[in-house]
């Protein structure tokens, strides 16, 4: 967000991801566990290390290392991704577009099968968990 070279659409997506992360962070302060607002029935899930978030004009892509392989979960609506944490200790620090501090955080990614190629699926929710 600090780069003046960001296009308006890229800036909007980055701000949306940041706002969503701030919402769950505030909710986490009020409760040790933040339930997901919408049911995730039928969603597939995978556990891995969320290492970064790429933000661009087409949305946001979560970069997740699963069993030594990089998986990309793309959303054209990053504000719809729900974030939750089991405990504040499961977070590596501030989370925003770009690489996550400390090499990433262990997370469970809830997703739908991809509608486009190049993506492991559309992320619905991210639950940060202890390593």
């Amino acid at each position: 967000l600090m780069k003046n070279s960001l296009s308006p659409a890229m800036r909007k997506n980055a701000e949306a991801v940041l706002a969503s992360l701030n919402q769950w962070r505030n909710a986490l302060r009020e409760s040790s566990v933040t339930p997901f607002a919408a049911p995730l029935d039928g969603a597939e899930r995978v556990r891995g290390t969320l290492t970064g978030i790429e933000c661009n004009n087409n949305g946001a892509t979560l970069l997740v290392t699963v069993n030594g392989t990089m998986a990309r979960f793309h959303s054209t609506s990053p504000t719809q991704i729900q974030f939750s944490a089991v405990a504040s200790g499961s977070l590596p620090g501030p989370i925003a577009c770009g690489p996550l501090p400390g090499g990433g955080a262990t997370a469970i990614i809830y997703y739908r099968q991809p509608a486009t190629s190049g993506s492991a699926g559309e992320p619905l929710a991210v639950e940060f968990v202890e390593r």
Side-chain angles (χ1 to χ4, degrees):
L1 287 175
M2 297 173 75
K3 293 182 180 180
N4 291 331
S5 63
L6 289 178
S7 70
M10 187 180 289
R11 181 172 295 283
K12 182 179 177 184
N13 283 335
E15 288 172 345
V17 169
L18 187 58
S20 180
L21 290 168
N22 285 332
Q23 281 181 328
W24 72 259
R25 188 166 282 177
N26 290 337
L28 182 60
R29 287 186 189 120
E30 297 171 14
S31 169
S32 61
V33 177
T34 305
F36 293 121
L40 298 172
D41 294 338
E44 296 188 48
R45 68 182 187 166
V46 65
R47 182 183 175 120
T49 303
L50 178 62
T51 59
I53 302 172
E54 293 178 347
C55 300
N56 58 40
N57 295 334
N58 298 321
T61 302
L62 307 180
L63 306 176
V64 183
T65 302
V66 180
N67 298 324
T69 302
M70 179 61 68
R72 302 170 68 82
F73 295 88
H74 181 74
S75 173
T76 56
S77 305
T79 58
Q80 301 302 312
I81 303 172
Q82 299 176 56
F83 291 87
S84 178
V86 173
S88 60
S90 59
L91 301 176
I95 299 172
C97 295
L100 267 66
T106 304
I108 298 171
I109 311 299
Y110 295 85
Y111 66 98
R112 284 190 210 123
Q113 283 299 313
T116 61
S117 63
S119 174
E122 176 189 4
L124 304 172
V126 176
E127 181 179 20
F128 293 101
V129 296
E130 298 290 337
R131 292 188 188 256

